[in-house]
Amino acid sequence: MFDRVLKRFHEKIRRRDYAMTLHAEEEMDDDGLTILDVESALLTGKVTERQRDPRTHEWKYVVVGSSIDNEPVGVVCKLGPTGRLVILTTYRE
């Protein structure tokens, strides 16, 4: 259902055309994740949910995939106004 969006996410990750929020970096550190785990989750994952941000009305996507150690990892992200992938938060499933 979200194949086109996921394909764009893959392109952004492969080109390193993404930014992480401070919140995402803090959550990544708290859960013992690395940037490679987050990239892997986005490249191997599926969109499990689409949410509308109540404040900005932008769509954000929940992607669940595998870390480099094959553990489930969730990533919430969106495409920013410039087209860059913005990673909003990360978590271990």
Side-chain angles (χ1 to χ4, degrees):
M1 180 173 196
F2 298 107
D3 292 339
R4 193 166 38 125
V5 171
L6 198 56
K7 186 175 181 178
R8 286 189 69 195
F9 292 171
H10 291 176
E11 291 170 5
K12 300 294 181 183
I13 291 295
R14 287 188 180 107
R15 292 183 180 167
R16 302 222 189 277
D17 186 18
Y18 64 87
M20 292 188 74
T21 64
L22 178 59
H23 175 74
E25 289 182 14
E26 290 170 347
E27 291 298 315
M28 186 176 73
D29 288 342
D30 288 349
D31 288 346
L33 298 169
T34 67
I35 191 61
L36 295 177
D37 292 319
V38 174
E39 289 178 350
S40 177
L42 284 165
L43 290 171
T44 62
K46 300 282 185 214
V47 174
T48 60
E49 187 178 351
R50 180 174 72 166
Q51 305 169 342
R52 172 92 60 179
D53 187 294
R55 190 173 45 83
T56 65
H57 303 288
E58 293 176 305
W59 287 113
K60 55 186 178 178
Y61 300 85
V62 179
V63 178
V64 177
S66 298
S67 69
I68 57 174
D69 294 334
N70 212 27
E71 297 293 325
V73 171
V75 180
V76 180
C77 56
K78 68 178 183 177
L79 291 169
T82 64
R84 194 167 210 201
L85 178 65
V86 179
I87 299 170
L88 302 168
T89 194
T90 63
Y91 56 93
R92 285 196 183 269
E93 274 284 293

